[in-house]
Amino acid sequence: MIAETVCSAVSAAGLGIAVVTAYRRRFLAAARIAAYALVPVGLVMTGLVGWLAHTAFSPTAWAGFGVLGAAWLLFAGTRAVERRRAGRAAAGGERTEAMAPGASAPSLSAGSRPAKGSAAPRPAGSAAPTDDFRDIEAILKKHGI
């Protein structure tokens, strides 16, 4: 009896926090908090807190499974929305990977490599690599890459 009361109080508090979070226009976080808040009530309603007492034929237990299903749908729905937003952000031109500003193309392509003995001048439009990139290029050349 006390366990059910505590679980109900925890769920009520969680749903209150979800309402406050939704009021702050953080709807995905509010839905996730509501899903977490429904879990204790679902566990009480399914009878797991009372260790499966009359679970098989209890309408309350089946209603608890419905509440747990609703919580799972909220979890899955918020994850799907987050993934869709992340996909739009990546497609919108935002870079999600860390890379140097000018590192989108290799510094030496296969067709522009100078012969081993000749020092071909760089084109006027390209800037000389910084010292950091010179070190990296030296290491790569040493290994034949």
Side-chain angles (χ1 to χ4, degrees):
M1 180 88 167
I2 290 178
E4 289 87 358
T5 305
V6 170
C7 287
S8 298
V10 167
S11 291
L15 289 174
I17 292 170
V19 168
V20 170
T21 305
Y23 179 75
R24 293 179 181 170
R25 296 200 176 270
R26 297 182 59 209
F27 297 113
L28 287 176
R32 186 169 291 137
I33 291 169
Y36 279 119
L38 290 175
V39 170
V41 169
L43 292 175
V44 167
M45 293 174 88
T46 58
L48 291 178
V49 175
W51 195 252
L52 300 173
H54 307 351
T55 302
F57 298 107
S58 173
T60 306
W62 291 107
F65 284 118
V67 169
L68 287 175
W72 181 83
L73 285 174
L74 282 171
F75 281 127
T78 56
R79 292 289 295 173
V81 170
E82 284 180 348
R83 286 182 182 157
R84 182 174 290 169
R85 281 188 181 172
R88 285 184 188 162
E94 295 180 13
R95 293 187 182 185
T96 58
E97 57 201 21
M99 57 191 282
S104 61
S107 60
L108 291 175
S109 63
S112 66
R113 285 190 184 177
K116 287 204 176 206
S118 67
R122 293 186 177 267
S126 67
T130 62
D131 290 333
D132 295 336
F133 291 132
R134 286 184 187 161
D135 294 341
I136 294 170
E137 284 182 4
I139 292 169
L140 292 173
K141 286 179 185 178
K142 178 181 173 184
H143 292 287
I145 299 175

